[in-house]
Amino acid sequence: HWNRLSREAVQSSSLEMFKTCLDAILCNMTLLGRGEHILIRLIFGGLPAFRDSKLFIKDLHFDGVPVRIYLPRLRSASKWRGVIFFHGGCGIENWSSSLNRNCSLVYFRYRLSPECKYPAQNLDCLTAAVHFLKTAENYGVDPDRIIVCGDSVGGTFTANVCQELVNRTDIPKIRAQVMIYPFLQALNFNLPSHQKNAFTALLSLERTVYHILKYLNKDCSLKEALLAGSHVPESVNLKYRKWINPDLIPEKFKQDYEPPLPTPCVPQVHEETKELFETRFSPLLAEDAVICRLPEACIITCEHDVLRDDGLLYKKRLEDNDVKVTWYHIEEGFHGTIGFFGYSIFSFPSSSKIVDHAVNFIKGF
């Protein structure tokens, strides 16, 4: 039933049919007492890993963190560029990615929530990234040509790792960062893209907040309070308004936007969700002293994505701090589309566009 409906949805480019199919399965899993994250892992994590006779593929551990490394079999007189890839899936689902088709790549398999509590995921990504930066030459990789890349929450980890390493002088500097429809802040869930794409397939606004709470092992009954903004004290709103504000979104992305009514902070909700204000969870909150030292960036946003404006706001922050940004916006794109890349009828045109943009950017280094 899943296969038939999925094929029909993809072939007709009907995201609504696909959403209906997925929601029905999620509902059945809930009734059976199974976690939604388990289903998503089965669907996407169960897709076969890409194999290529031109690549050497090996599973390793970097300081205890499992990784899969893809290296070209073709010998080269010079060292290869290296790409660190953090997969998406809200830190919960191990989504496949086929960026390895074009790059020398290290694919990180950080521990997943809810089995492993936050911030285990961030720490795994940071630990393994540092290990690779120190040992890149062992794999024929130029340590000065290492790019960090990630989609969705993998984009969060990309931003966080780059921020964490700006002051390190004992390891090579990351050359560039690629963030594909990243999640970058949890202060404001009433930006224009939140309103426009609140009910979009695969990642609705409610599902976004639900996953955040699951990821942090919090009570999911807090969802409505977070959606309303009751977790943010007025002093915090005032402090970060210069960085997270619908007024900073270009006008063409604010059609039909309606500013929400002010909502008072509920102290108990704020205390319960303080992790949301950490820069490792919300990289958009990092100070300018950190942002201005970040490597060149590529940000890819999708029009039909509840997280679109996170990418737009981070783009502005980087540019305001004189960090070079290459930005691609996929008009027909939606959140999660890269997870379907390379799987025949399951692949969307937007999947290929995103991969092409990311790979072409990476090839510039």
mmCIF file of all heavy atoms in Angstrom, residues 227-244:
data_model
loop_
_atom_site.group_PDB
_atom_site.id
_atom_site.type_symbol
_atom_site.label_atom_id
_atom_site.label_comp_id
_atom_site.label_asym_id
_atom_site.label_seq_id
_atom_site.Cartn_x
_atom_site.Cartn_y
_atom_site.Cartn_z
ATOM 1 N N LEU A 227 4.601 26.946 20.181
ATOM 2 C CA LEU A 227 4.054 27.534 18.961
ATOM 3 C C LEU A 227 3.579 28.968 19.201
ATOM 4 O O LEU A 227 3.700 29.829 18.328
ATOM 5 C CB LEU A 227 2.895 26.679 18.437
ATOM 6 C CG LEU A 227 3.280 25.342 17.798
ATOM 7 C CD1 LEU A 227 2.045 24.484 17.566
ATOM 8 C CD2 LEU A 227 4.004 25.584 16.468
ATOM 9 N N ALA A 228 3.065 29.216 20.391
ATOM 10 C CA ALA A 228 2.568 30.552 20.731
ATOM 11 C C ALA A 228 3.683 31.504 21.140
ATOM 12 O O ALA A 228 3.481 32.722 21.192
ATOM 13 C CB ALA A 228 1.537 30.456 21.854
ATOM 14 N N GLY A 229 4.868 30.957 21.448
ATOM 15 C CA GLY A 229 5.984 31.791 21.885
ATOM 16 C C GLY A 229 6.028 32.016 23.377
ATOM 17 O O GLY A 229 6.752 32.900 23.863
ATOM 18 N N SER A 230 5.303 31.211 24.128
ATOM 19 C CA SER A 230 5.230 31.390 25.583
ATOM 20 C C SER A 230 6.506 30.959 26.300
ATOM 21 O O SER A 230 6.610 31.113 27.521
ATOM 22 C CB SER A 230 4.048 30.600 26.152
ATOM 23 O OG SER A 230 2.832 31.041 25.602
ATOM 24 N N HIS A 231 7.479 30.423 25.582
ATOM 25 C CA HIS A 231 8.734 29.986 26.187
ATOM 26 C C HIS A 231 9.789 31.087 26.189
ATOM 27 O O HIS A 231 10.868 30.911 26.755
ATOM 28 C CB HIS A 231 9.289 28.775 25.441
ATOM 29 C CG HIS A 231 9.598 29.026 24.003
ATOM 30 N ND1 HIS A 231 8.657 29.468 23.105
ATOM 31 C CD2 HIS A 231 10.747 28.904 23.282
ATOM 32 C CE1 HIS A 231 9.196 29.596 21.906
ATOM 33 N NE2 HIS A 231 10.469 29.272 21.990
ATOM 34 N N VAL A 232 9.478 32.243 25.585
ATOM 35 C CA VAL A 232 10.488 33.288 25.406
ATOM 36 C C VAL A 232 10.176 34.507 26.268
ATOM 37 O O VAL A 232 9.167 35.199 26.039
ATOM 38 C CB VAL A 232 10.570 33.722 23.928
ATOM 39 C CG1 VAL A 232 11.750 34.673 23.728
ATOM 40 C CG2 VAL A 232 10.683 32.519 23.003
ATOM 41 N N PRO A 233 11.025 34.825 27.253
ATOM 42 C CA PRO A 233 10.821 36.040 28.055
ATOM 43 C C PRO A 233 10.975 37.291 27.190
ATOM 44 O O PRO A 233 11.673 37.281 26.170
ATOM 45 C CB PRO A 233 11.945 35.963 29.096
ATOM 46 C CG PRO A 233 12.369 34.536 29.120
ATOM 47 C CD PRO A 233 12.158 34.023 27.730
ATOM 48 N N GLU A 234 10.333 38.354 27.584
ATOM 49 C CA GLU A 234 10.399 39.598 26.819
ATOM 50 C C GLU A 234 11.840 40.092 26.679
ATOM 51 O O GLU A 234 12.237 40.611 25.631
ATOM 52 C CB GLU A 234 9.539 40.668 27.487
ATOM 53 C CG GLU A 234 9.494 42.006 26.746
ATOM 54 C CD GLU A 234 8.939 41.887 25.336
ATOM 55 O OE1 GLU A 234 8.202 40.912 25.055
ATOM 56 O OE2 GLU A 234 9.232 42.778 24.507
ATOM 57 N N SER A 235 12.639 39.933 27.724
ATOM 58 C CA SER A 235 14.034 40.378 27.663
ATOM 59 C C SER A 235 14.818 39.629 26.591
ATOM 60 O O SER A 235 15.673 40.209 25.912
ATOM 61 C CB SER A 235 14.706 40.172 29.027
ATOM 62 O OG SER A 235 14.674 38.796 29.410
ATOM 63 N N VAL A 236 14.517 38.338 26.420
ATOM 64 C CA VAL A 236 15.192 37.544 25.391
ATOM 65 C C VAL A 236 14.711 37.964 24.003
ATOM 66 O O VAL A 236 15.517 38.091 23.069
ATOM 67 C CB VAL A 236 14.926 36.041 25.627
ATOM 68 C CG1 VAL A 236 15.495 35.206 24.482
ATOM 69 C CG2 VAL A 236 15.522 35.599 26.953
ATOM 70 N N ASN A 237 13.420 38.207 23.873
ATOM 71 C CA ASN A 237 12.884 38.691 22.598
ATOM 72 C C ASN A 237 13.553 39.998 22.182
ATOM 73 O O ASN A 237 13.933 40.184 21.020
ATOM 74 C CB ASN A 237 11.375 38.899 22.693
ATOM 75 C CG ASN A 237 10.589 37.699 22.203
ATOM 76 O OD1 ASN A 237 11.002 37.024 21.266
ATOM 77 N ND2 ASN A 237 9.469 37.433 22.831
ATOM 78 N N LEU A 238 13.697 40.909 23.135
ATOM 79 C CA LEU A 238 14.311 42.201 22.840
ATOM 80 C C LEU A 238 15.778 42.038 22.460
ATOM 81 O O LEU A 238 16.278 42.714 21.548
ATOM 82 C CB LEU A 238 14.174 43.133 24.052
ATOM 83 C CG LEU A 238 12.760 43.623 24.359
ATOM 84 C CD1 LEU A 238 12.732 44.401 25.671
ATOM 85 C CD2 LEU A 238 12.232 44.484 23.215
ATOM 86 N N LYS A 239 16.478 41.129 23.141
ATOM 87 C CA LYS A 239 17.909 40.920 22.879
ATOM 88 C C LYS A 239 18.151 40.401 21.469
ATOM 89 O O LYS A 239 19.086 40.841 20.780
ATOM 90 C CB LYS A 239 18.479 39.943 23.908
ATOM 91 C CG LYS A 239 19.954 39.630 23.679
ATOM 92 C CD LYS A 239 20.487 38.666 24.723
ATOM 93 C CE LYS A 239 21.955 38.352 24.466
ATOM 94 N NZ LYS A 239 22.507 37.409 25.480
ATOM 95 N N TYR A 240 17.307 39.464 21.030
ATOM 96 C CA TYR A 240 17.571 38.799 19.756
ATOM 97 C C TYR A 240 16.706 39.301 18.605
ATOM 98 O O TYR A 240 16.809 38.786 17.485
ATOM 99 C CB TYR A 240 17.372 37.286 19.917
ATOM 100 C CG TYR A 240 18.410 36.665 20.835
ATOM 101 C CD1 TYR A 240 18.027 36.075 22.038
ATOM 102 C CD2 TYR A 240 19.752 36.673 20.488
ATOM 103 C CE1 TYR A 240 18.976 35.509 22.882
ATOM 104 C CE2 TYR A 240 20.707 36.108 21.326
ATOM 105 C CZ TYR A 240 20.316 35.537 22.528
ATOM 106 O OH TYR A 240 21.263 34.980 23.354
ATOM 107 N N ARG A 241 15.919 40.311 18.873
ATOM 108 C CA ARG A 241 15.052 40.841 17.822
ATOM 109 C C ARG A 241 15.867 41.388 16.645
ATOM 110 O O ARG A 241 15.410 41.376 15.499
ATOM 111 C CB ARG A 241 14.143 41.932 18.398
ATOM 112 C CG ARG A 241 13.137 42.466 17.392
ATOM 113 C CD ARG A 241 12.127 43.384 18.048
ATOM 114 N NE ARG A 241 11.259 43.992 17.043
ATOM 115 C CZ ARG A 241 10.247 43.376 16.454
ATOM 116 N NH1 ARG A 241 9.970 42.123 16.777
ATOM 117 N NH2 ARG A 241 9.511 44.001 15.544
ATOM 118 N N LYS A 242 17.075 41.819 16.907
ATOM 119 C CA LYS A 242 17.927 42.360 15.844
ATOM 120 C C LYS A 242 18.368 41.269 14.865
ATOM 121 O O LYS A 242 18.845 41.578 13.769
ATOM 122 C CB LYS A 242 19.166 43.023 16.448
ATOM 123 C CG LYS A 242 20.002 42.088 17.320
ATOM 124 C CD LYS A 242 21.136 42.830 17.998
ATOM 125 C CE LYS A 242 21.897 41.899 18.945
ATOM 126 N NZ LYS A 242 22.998 42.598 19.645
ATOM 127 N N TRP A 243 18.200 39.990 15.265
ATOM 128 C CA TRP A 243 18.630 38.877 14.421
ATOM 129 C C TRP A 243 17.468 37.983 13.979
ATOM 130 O O TRP A 243 17.542 37.364 12.927
ATOM 131 C CB TRP A 243 19.659 38.013 15.152
ATOM 132 C CG TRP A 243 20.919 38.744 15.498
ATOM 133 C CD1 TRP A 243 21.461 39.805 14.839
ATOM 134 C CD2 TRP A 243 21.784 38.466 16.609
ATOM 135 N NE1 TRP A 243 22.620 40.209 15.458
ATOM 136 C CE2 TRP A 243 22.845 39.411 16.544
ATOM 137 C CE3 TRP A 243 21.768 37.531 17.636
ATOM 138 C CZ2 TRP A 243 23.883 39.426 17.473
ATOM 139 C CZ3 TRP A 243 22.804 37.535 18.555
ATOM 140 C CH2 TRP A 243 23.848 38.473 18.482
ATOM 141 N N ILE A 244 16.434 37.892 14.812
ATOM 142 C CA ILE A 244 15.290 37.030 14.497
ATOM 143 C C ILE A 244 14.032 37.889 14.506
ATOM 144 O O ILE A 244 13.473 38.193 15.566
ATOM 145 C CB ILE A 244 15.175 35.868 15.500
ATOM 146 C CG1 ILE A 244 16.461 35.048 15.510
ATOM 147 C CG2 ILE A 244 13.982 34.979 15.163
ATOM 148 C CD1 ILE A 244 16.497 33.952 16.558
#
